[in-house]
Amino acid sequence: MIALSLAEIAEVVGGQTHDIPDPSVQVTGPVVRDSREAGPGSLFVAFVGERVDGHDYAAAVVEAGAAAVLASRPVGVPAIVVEDVQAALGALARHVVGRLGATLVALTGSAGKTSTKDLIAQVLRSKAPTVFTPGSLNNEIGLPLTALTATEETKFLVLEMGARGIGHIRYLTGLTPPRVGLVLNVGSAHIGEFGGREQIAEAKGELVEALPPAEEGGAAILNADDPLVRAMAARTKAKVILFGESDEADVRAENVRLTDSGQPSFRLHTPSGASDVTMRLYGEHHVSNALAAAAVAHELGMSADEIARALSEAGSLSRWRMEVTERPDGVTVVNDAYNANPESMKAALRALVAMGKGRRTWAVLGKMAELGDEALAEHDAVGRLAVRLNVSKLVAVGGREAAWLQLGAYNEGSWGEESVHVSDAQAAVDLLRSQLRPGDVVLVKASRSVGLESVAQALLETGAEGEVAAR
Ligand SMILES: Nc1ncnc2c1ncn2[C@@H]1O[C@H](COP(=O)(O)OP(=O)(O)O)[C@@H](O)[C@H]1O
Ligand SMILES: [Mg+2]
């Protein structure tokens, strides 16, 4: 963080100083909510959670060197006391980003936010110092905490924004107003909570409404291939830049193919030149993510060659997203258990088949959550696609949705043992342990709540007796 005195911080957040002998003491960062991360010069934010009250750790963090605590009541050690700690944290982030020289890039979408944010960060940081959301910390607390890690040196600040309802993105853009805003897609993630695709589009589009007008540098980067995203052009005064496969896209890919190892390769076209990309990431859904990242980087002054080079070198920064591991016996485990939706299921199955050419392929799949009325049809479609793509073995894991998935495969014409339905992760591991042969490729994927990464981890454990941890 940029250095601020306790007196300044108290003023910015509208708080009262308590037990502070010297208000000119500076906070040099980081700002933390986990007491274990508090060190010299830090500011500890005390939240009251369901199980833990941050205020109980106030003395310990000051002992560890923290300059003060941002708290909702006096705690007997140096504190800035406010009514609403979350609002105060937001106000502090807002103040600090206003003083930074960094360009703010924000992105949202239903699927691929974290993967794309990691791509944008890797491309931009090849050019200049870049701070970005770690993992998926994209909510009203993670976002300001991330923004507060930026320093005077930071040139680009890349922030993932999540939303579970109307007004959430507006709140986040209020804390960290972006100059460049990217909307990836409007899919079916959390459709149950939102009430429908139009509501999701309404909520995600708040990002482009928050951008400055084109004359002030505002740029809205929109997916040309997603009609609900494209329509957001009407909701912004910023310059609109389209990415996608559509001919009208400003940034697009030509000659898209998957290599034999399942990695996308394509020719990247930008308004100022073209260059070839072969990605290290797996799965064709990354083409769209890469184009989105390229559009952002191009807007921020990078050339097609620079962007293509960085995209070709970019790795996976976040876990369990098409994480490919070779076992000593030649079994390849593809752990994509971080999350799942209909689009990413299809992309992952295609990548599996590309990687598994001439080998036996296994798709170990679980439920895609929050699909509302579309759940039956979407699980059925994934089961059918697995058969059409000629996946050797389908293992559907879990309850009702897994049954639908397996039934889809069966109705599409899978034979006897080609598709099976098992009740839980342990049963899947037992089945795989008894049937996997050297050279097989295994994809593991389901929604986050299913926790199927335990299957991938069990397959990678040495020894055959490991139990799957209960969740
Ligand atoms: N462009 C995309 N379209 C559809 N699914 C995607 C896309 N990019 C990634 N995914 C899949 O969505 C899941 C979540 O990816 P992630 O990047 O963490 O997205 P988010 O942060 O939006 O939840 C992963 O399983 C990944 O394979
Ligand atoms: Mg995410």
Side-chain angles (χ1 to χ4, degrees):
M1 186 172 109
I2 57 175
L4 290 175
S5 71
L6 293 175
E8 267 177 293
I9 294 175
E11 194 186 324
V12 166
V13 303
Q16 302 288 325
T17 53
H18 281 261
D19 307 298
I20 294 181
D22 179 6
S24 72
V25 163
Q26 294 212 316
V27 171
T28 49
V31 179
V32 298
R33 68 174 299 193
D34 182 335
S35 61
R36 290 163 297 186
E37 290 168 12
S42 61
L43 178 69
F44 173 67
V45 188
F47 283 100
V48 180
E50 272 168 31
R51 274 164 296 169
V52 184
D53 182 350
H55 296 80
D56 296 343
Y57 297 87
V61 297
V62 169
E63 179 77 14
V69 180
L70 184 59
S72 48
R73 58 174 193 264
V75 280
V77 291
I80 296 167
V81 176
V82 293
E83 220 161 86
D84 179 342
V85 170
Q86 184 191 312
L89 175 65
L92 183 59
R94 166 91 216 215
H95 174 80
V96 166
V97 298
R99 288 188 32 178
L100 292 172
T103 298
L104 262 73
V105 177
L107 75 157
T108 192
S110 293
K113 292 182 292 297
T114 296
S115 310
T116 306
K117 176 264 301 170
D118 288 346
L119 282 174
I120 295 172
Q122 290 177 86
V123 174
L124 293 182
R125 80 180 177 194
S126 72
K127 184 86 175 170
T130 302
V131 165
F132 57 100
T133 305
S136 270
L137 296 179
N138 62 22
N139 67 10
E140 63 281 4
I141 296 165
L143 178 113
L145 287 176
T146 302
L148 287 166
T149 64
T151 66
E152 283 89 351
E153 279 77 54
T154 306
K155 189 79 200 313
F156 301 118
L157 177 55
V158 182
L159 297 168
E160 175 176 329
M161 294 188 173
R164 299 247 161 171
I166 302 289
H168 293 183
I169 300 280
R170 191 174 308 124
Y171 178 79
L172 298 177
T173 56
L175 305 187
T176 55
R179 171 160 94 67
V180 177
L182 159 65
V183 185
L184 291 171
N185 45 46
V186 172
S188 16
H190 309 303
I191 197 162
E193 282 162 65
F194 275 101
R197 274 210 175 71
E198 277 67 30
Q199 280 75 17
I200 300 179
E202 184 61 32
K204 307 275 179 203
E206 291 169 6
L207 179 56
V208 298
E209 287 176 349
L211 296 170
E215 311 81 75
E216 290 167 28
I221 317 262
L222 299 175
N223 187 343
D225 303 330
D226 186 321
L228 287 173
V229 174
R230 213 189 152 140
M232 290 175 194
R235 293 170 64 184
T236 187
K237 294 196 173 68
K239 172 169 81 174
V240 171
I241 297 154
L242 298 176
F243 69 92
E245 287 174 21
S246 151
D247 285 345
E248 295 133 298
D250 304 288
V251 175
R252 44 179 226 290
E254 250 173 39
N255 299 333
V256 178
R257 59 180 204 93
L258 282 185
T259 66
D260 287 347
S261 48
Q263 292 157 310
S265 144
F266 58 92
R267 184 150 182 87
L268 168 70
H269 286 264
T270 76
S272 66
S275 194
D276 291 322
V277 176
T278 301
M279 300 186 78
R280 283 174 56 209
L281 301 180
Y282 297 85
E284 68 186 20
H285 54 296
H286 282 306
V287 175
S288 176
N289 299 343
L291 291 176
V296 169
H298 187 265
E299 168 62 21
L300 296 176
M302 290 180 69
S303 71
D305 282 341
E306 289 174 323
I307 298 167
R309 194 174 319 124
L311 285 174
S312 300
E313 282 167 10
S316 176
L317 300 184
S318 302
R319 297 216 65 192
W320 305 334
R321 291 163 179 83
M322 295 297 278
E323 203 170 283
V324 179
T325 314
E326 295 286 340
R327 273 190 355 190
D329 65 354
V331 168
T332 304
V333 177
V334 183
N335 182 353
D336 197 30
Y338 183 75
N339 221 335
N341 54 56
E343 295 84 11
S344 70
M345 275 288 192
K346 286 167 206 158
L349 285 172
R350 291 208 181 89
L352 168 68
V353 168
M355 296 166 83
K357 255 184 214 141
R359 303 163 68 178
R360 271 205 322 178
T361 50
W362 293 76
V364 183
L365 307 180
K367 152 171 117 170
M368 300 175 286
E370 299 173 27
L371 291 177
D373 294 343
E374 297 167 35
L376 171 57
E378 295 288 8
H379 286 89
D380 180 79
V382 168
R384 289 176 188 273
L385 182 67
V387 176
R388 274 183 222 154
L389 291 174
N390 226 357
V391 171
S392 321
K393 292 267 191 179
L394 173 69
V395 182
V397 189
R400 191 174 60 156
E401 291 82 357
W404 292 338
L405 208 155
Q406 194 266 332
L407 194 60
Y410 177 77
N411 287 334
E412 191 67 24
S414 83
W415 286 80
E417 295 278 286
E418 273 175 7
S419 68
V420 293
H421 175 213
V422 298
S423 58
D424 58 21
Q426 185 66 56
V429 171
D430 293 343
L431 175 86
L432 289 160
R433 285 225 170 98
S434 68
Q435 295 197 15
L436 280 182
R437 295 199 303 249
D440 288 359
V441 189
V442 191
L443 166 73
V444 181
K445 184 168 179 72
S447 269
R448 184 85 288 276
S449 56
V450 184
L452 267 201
E453 68 277 359
S454 64
V455 171
Q457 282 160 346
L459 293 178
L460 292 173
E461 273 163 21
T462 46
E465 60 289 346
E467 295 282 299
V468 174
R471 281 176 60 98

PDB file of all heavy atoms in Angstrom, residues 133-146:
ATOM      1  N   THR A 133      -5.964  -9.486  -8.690  1.00  0.00           N
ATOM      2  CA  THR A 133      -6.700 -10.291  -7.721  1.00  0.00           C
ATOM      3  C   THR A 133      -6.035 -11.648  -7.556  1.00  0.00           C
ATOM      4  O   THR A 133      -5.860 -12.369  -8.536  1.00  0.00           O
ATOM      5  CB  THR A 133      -8.138 -10.539  -8.248  1.00  0.00           C
ATOM      6  OG1 THR A 133      -8.738  -9.283  -8.530  1.00  0.00           O
ATOM      7  CG2 THR A 133      -8.964 -11.319  -7.245  1.00  0.00           C
ATOM      8  N   PRO A 134      -5.661 -12.029  -6.317  1.00  0.00           N
ATOM      9  CA  PRO A 134      -5.170 -13.395  -6.149  1.00  0.00           C
ATOM     10  C   PRO A 134      -6.350 -14.366  -6.134  1.00  0.00           C
ATOM     11  O   PRO A 134      -7.370 -14.070  -5.498  1.00  0.00           O
ATOM     12  CB  PRO A 134      -4.471 -13.355  -4.792  1.00  0.00           C
ATOM     13  CG  PRO A 134      -5.018 -12.162  -4.079  1.00  0.00           C
ATOM     14  CD  PRO A 134      -5.700 -11.263  -5.071  1.00  0.00           C
ATOM     15  N   GLY A 135      -6.220 -15.480  -6.835  1.00  0.00           N
ATOM     16  CA  GLY A 135      -7.305 -16.469  -6.869  1.00  0.00           C
ATOM     17  C   GLY A 135      -8.595 -15.843  -7.325  1.00  0.00           C
ATOM     18  O   GLY A 135      -8.644 -15.160  -8.346  1.00  0.00           O
ATOM     19  N   SER A 136      -9.653 -16.056  -6.545  1.00  0.00           N
ATOM     20  CA  SER A 136     -10.986 -15.572  -6.903  1.00  0.00           C
ATOM     21  C   SER A 136     -11.517 -14.557  -5.896  1.00  0.00           C
ATOM     22  O   SER A 136     -12.714 -14.472  -5.679  1.00  0.00           O
ATOM     23  CB  SER A 136     -11.972 -16.749  -6.942  1.00  0.00           C
ATOM     24  OG  SER A 136     -12.012 -17.309  -8.222  1.00  0.00           O
ATOM     25  N   LEU A 137     -10.647 -13.782  -5.287  1.00  0.00           N
ATOM     26  CA  LEU A 137     -11.098 -12.858  -4.233  1.00  0.00           C
ATOM     27  C   LEU A 137     -11.802 -11.660  -4.861  1.00  0.00           C
ATOM     28  O   LEU A 137     -11.263 -10.558  -4.918  1.00  0.00           O
ATOM     29  CB  LEU A 137      -9.919 -12.400  -3.381  1.00  0.00           C
ATOM     30  CG  LEU A 137      -9.228 -13.513  -2.604  1.00  0.00           C
ATOM     31  CD1 LEU A 137      -8.049 -12.960  -1.818  1.00  0.00           C
ATOM     32  CD2 LEU A 137     -10.215 -14.200  -1.655  1.00  0.00           C
ATOM     33  N   ASN A 138     -13.020 -11.920  -5.353  1.00  0.00           N
ATOM     34  CA  ASN A 138     -13.677 -10.917  -6.201  1.00  0.00           C
ATOM     35  C   ASN A 138     -14.872 -10.241  -5.548  1.00  0.00           C
ATOM     36  O   ASN A 138     -15.692  -9.645  -6.217  1.00  0.00           O
ATOM     37  CB  ASN A 138     -14.102 -11.574  -7.521  1.00  0.00           C
ATOM     38  CG  ASN A 138     -15.122 -12.692  -7.313  1.00  0.00           C
ATOM     39  OD1 ASN A 138     -15.812 -12.739  -6.305  1.00  0.00           O
ATOM     40  ND2 ASN A 138     -15.237 -13.573  -8.297  1.00  0.00           N
ATOM     41  N   ASN A 139     -14.987 -10.320  -4.221  1.00  0.00           N
ATOM     42  CA  ASN A 139     -16.189  -9.751  -3.593  1.00  0.00           C
ATOM     43  C   ASN A 139     -15.889  -8.437  -2.871  1.00  0.00           C
ATOM     44  O   ASN A 139     -14.821  -7.850  -3.007  1.00  0.00           O
ATOM     45  CB  ASN A 139     -16.838 -10.774  -2.657  1.00  0.00           C
ATOM     46  CG  ASN A 139     -15.970 -11.077  -1.448  1.00  0.00           C
ATOM     47  OD1 ASN A 139     -14.973 -10.406  -1.189  1.00  0.00           O
ATOM     48  ND2 ASN A 139     -16.338 -12.099  -0.714  1.00  0.00           N
ATOM     49  N   GLU A 140     -16.855  -7.988  -2.077  1.00  0.00           N
ATOM     50  CA  GLU A 140     -16.791  -6.665  -1.469  1.00  0.00           C
ATOM     51  C   GLU A 140     -15.665  -6.540  -0.441  1.00  0.00           C
ATOM     52  O   GLU A 140     -15.333  -5.432  -0.027  1.00  0.00           O
ATOM     53  CB  GLU A 140     -18.154  -6.319  -0.844  1.00  0.00           C
ATOM     54  CG  GLU A 140     -18.614  -7.210   0.305  1.00  0.00           C
ATOM     55  CD  GLU A 140     -19.202  -8.554  -0.130  1.00  0.00           C
ATOM     56  OE1 GLU A 140     -19.197  -8.859  -1.342  1.00  0.00           O
ATOM     57  OE2 GLU A 140     -19.644  -9.328   0.745  1.00  0.00           O
ATOM     58  N   ILE A 141     -15.066  -7.642  -0.047  1.00  0.00           N
ATOM     59  CA  ILE A 141     -13.930  -7.576   0.874  1.00  0.00           C
ATOM     60  C   ILE A 141     -12.618  -7.876   0.146  1.00  0.00           C
ATOM     61  O   ILE A 141     -11.630  -7.147   0.268  1.00  0.00           O
ATOM     62  CB  ILE A 141     -14.140  -8.546   2.056  1.00  0.00           C
ATOM     63  CG1 ILE A 141     -15.356  -8.075   2.856  1.00  0.00           C
ATOM     64  CG2 ILE A 141     -12.902  -8.598   2.943  1.00  0.00           C
ATOM     65  CD1 ILE A 141     -15.912  -9.079   3.820  1.00  0.00           C
ATOM     66  N   GLY A 142     -12.626  -8.947  -0.665  1.00  0.00           N
ATOM     67  CA  GLY A 142     -11.408  -9.309  -1.406  1.00  0.00           C
ATOM     68  C   GLY A 142     -10.978  -8.218  -2.365  1.00  0.00           C
ATOM     69  O   GLY A 142      -9.778  -7.947  -2.530  1.00  0.00           O
ATOM     70  N   LEU A 143     -11.940  -7.566  -3.002  1.00  0.00           N
ATOM     71  CA  LEU A 143     -11.602  -6.538  -3.990  1.00  0.00           C
ATOM     72  C   LEU A 143     -10.871  -5.347  -3.363  1.00  0.00           C
ATOM     73  O   LEU A 143      -9.779  -4.989  -3.806  1.00  0.00           O
ATOM     74  CB  LEU A 143     -12.855  -6.097  -4.746  1.00  0.00           C
ATOM     75  CG  LEU A 143     -12.604  -4.989  -5.757  1.00  0.00           C
ATOM     76  CD1 LEU A 143     -12.813  -5.481  -7.176  1.00  0.00           C
ATOM     77  CD2 LEU A 143     -13.475  -3.803  -5.481  1.00  0.00           C
ATOM     78  N   PRO A 144     -11.418  -4.720  -2.301  1.00  0.00           N
ATOM     79  CA  PRO A 144     -10.654  -3.600  -1.727  1.00  0.00           C
ATOM     80  C   PRO A 144      -9.309  -4.044  -1.136  1.00  0.00           C
ATOM     81  O   PRO A 144      -8.321  -3.315  -1.237  1.00  0.00           O
ATOM     82  CB  PRO A 144     -11.594  -3.034  -0.641  1.00  0.00           C
ATOM     83  CG  PRO A 144     -12.664  -4.040  -0.440  1.00  0.00           C
ATOM     84  CD  PRO A 144     -12.759  -4.833  -1.713  1.00  0.00           C
ATOM     85  N   LEU A 145      -9.266  -5.238  -0.542  1.00  0.00           N
ATOM     86  CA  LEU A 145      -7.984  -5.704   0.014  1.00  0.00           C
ATOM     87  C   LEU A 145      -6.948  -5.827  -1.098  1.00  0.00           C
ATOM     88  O   LEU A 145      -5.778  -5.473  -0.918  1.00  0.00           O
ATOM     89  CB  LEU A 145      -8.165  -7.049   0.737  1.00  0.00           C
ATOM     90  CG  LEU A 145      -8.888  -6.983   2.086  1.00  0.00           C
ATOM     91  CD1 LEU A 145      -9.079  -8.398   2.643  1.00  0.00           C
ATOM     92  CD2 LEU A 145      -8.129  -6.126   3.096  1.00  0.00           C
ATOM     93  N   THR A 146      -7.371  -6.340  -2.261  1.00  0.00           N
ATOM     94  CA  THR A 146      -6.437  -6.457  -3.389  1.00  0.00           C
ATOM     95  C   THR A 146      -5.991  -5.077  -3.856  1.00  0.00           C
ATOM     96  O   THR A 146      -4.799  -4.831  -4.059  1.00  0.00           O
ATOM     97  CB  THR A 146      -7.102  -7.186  -4.570  1.00  0.00           C
ATOM     98  OG1 THR A 146      -7.531  -8.468  -4.141  1.00  0.00           O
ATOM     99  CG2 THR A 146      -6.120  -7.335  -5.733  1.00  0.00           C
TER     100      THR A 146
END
